[in-house]
Amino acid sequence: MWETRVSFDSTPMTFVSSTTSHPTFDVIRPGYPNQEILKIEIHTEGDLAPLHASSFTFSTAGSTDPATDLEEARLFYSGNIHGFLTTIPFGDPVAHPNGTFTITGDQPLGSGVNYFWLAYDLPASATEGNVLDAACTSIELGQVVVPDITSPDSSRQIQVIYCDAGATNVGTEYISRVTIGDIEQSSVKGPGGYEDYTHLVYEATAGTSFHVTVDNASPHNWDALIIWIDYN
């Protein structure tokens, strides 16, 4: 057993530095909420009289068409946890951000690194191929501070990614014909048990009914049918 006396002098909290970066460059799917777009770091020293973050000024600079592609902007605080979390919101969401916007709130800071996360909600009508970006131009901490990097390089693209069709257990069954609207397509048992007819498109409206017929070349009484619909 070894013991020694350790002394710690508390000091008033002071601002050290701030910066921003993109937490991810993954594509964003239309219709998805809480898509992180910007990480804001605030570094402090001292543990007495904590500084309070009261407002963040942002810009949608770098985004292709924020008026169309953005539904809301939200800000979250994760303390000293270096990971995107939505458990502690900061202020209220900003609807349809386009250009400069400010989010106000009241968050006491901890000593060391404090992480804030700007996230976007996308409508289902967001345009594929467009990009989303953001800049943080100033922060109010009892004094106005400007991050060392206000607008990091790159952005996130709006895109729908589909998984490759295939199977690991290919039996004797396969779909031999599909009829939907004016589309009637016959098929054979392709490699991996699948055939690709994504070039055929039937335009369906959400909330309306339509008839679909699917033929199984080797049916059984316990067969089940599931249809996925992409409304993008």
Side-chain angles (χ1 to χ4, degrees):
M1 177 70 68
W2 180 79
E3 295 182 5
T4 188
R5 184 179 298 276
V6 176
S7 61
F8 177 78
D9 295 328
S10 294
T11 58
M13 183 176 291
T14 58
F15 169 77
V16 176
S17 65
S18 178
T19 191
T20 69
S21 60
H22 287 301
T24 178
F25 301 109
D26 292 343
V27 298
I28 305 178
R29 294 184 62 178
Y32 273 50
N34 294 335
Q35 298 299 295
E36 65 267 38
I37 196 72
L38 197 66
K39 177 180 69 177
I40 304 99
E41 300 178 31
I42 301 175
H43 298 247
T44 68
E45 287 182 346
D47 62 329
L48 294 178
L51 298 174
H52 286 236
S54 58
S55 74
F56 292 74
T57 300
F58 296 103
S59 170
T60 58
S63 300
T64 306
D65 187 7
T68 299
D69 297 332
L70 295 181
E71 203 162 67
E72 286 188 326
R74 305 170 186 268
L75 189 61
F76 299 97
Y77 177 65
S78 64
N80 63 358
I81 299 175
H82 187 201
F84 177 61
L85 299 173
T86 60
T87 50
I88 305 177
F90 178 91
D92 296 322
V94 174
H96 306 292
N98 184 13
T100 300
F101 63 97
T102 299
I103 298 179
T104 60
D106 183 16
Q107 179 60 57
L109 302 181
S111 182
V113 186
N114 296 261
Y115 295 100
F116 291 83
W117 310 82
L118 178 68
Y120 287 154
D121 291 358
L122 277 66
S125 58
T127 305
E128 284 194 65
N130 284 356
V131 299
L132 295 175
D133 202 353
C136 179
T137 56
S138 67
I139 307 169
E140 174 60 55
L141 302 175
Q143 58 176 317
V144 176
V145 300
V146 176
D148 295 335
I149 298 174
T150 59
S151 181
D153 292 337
S154 197
S155 56
R156 295 186 66 181
Q157 187 177 50
I158 303 170
Q159 186 178 347
V160 176
I161 301 294
Y162 297 97
C163 61
D164 294 331
T168 57
N169 183 12
V170 182
T172 59
E173 297 184 68
Y174 67 93
I175 293 174
S176 59
R177 179 182 288 103
V178 173
T179 303
I180 176 172
D182 59 355
I183 297 175
E184 183 176 351
Q185 179 64 54
S186 299
S187 61
V188 297
K189 185 179 179 181
Y194 283 81
E195 287 287 325
D196 185 356
Y197 294 104
T198 52
H199 65 283
L200 299 176
V201 178
Y202 174 75
E203 294 188 1
T205 303
T208 63
S209 61
F210 49 91
H211 187 72
V212 180
T213 300
V214 178
D215 295 339
N216 188 330
S218 180
H220 298 281
N221 292 334
W222 55 84
D223 285 338
L225 174 67
I226 301 176
I227 298 176
W228 281 266
I229 300 176
D230 179 7
Y231 281 116
N232 291 305

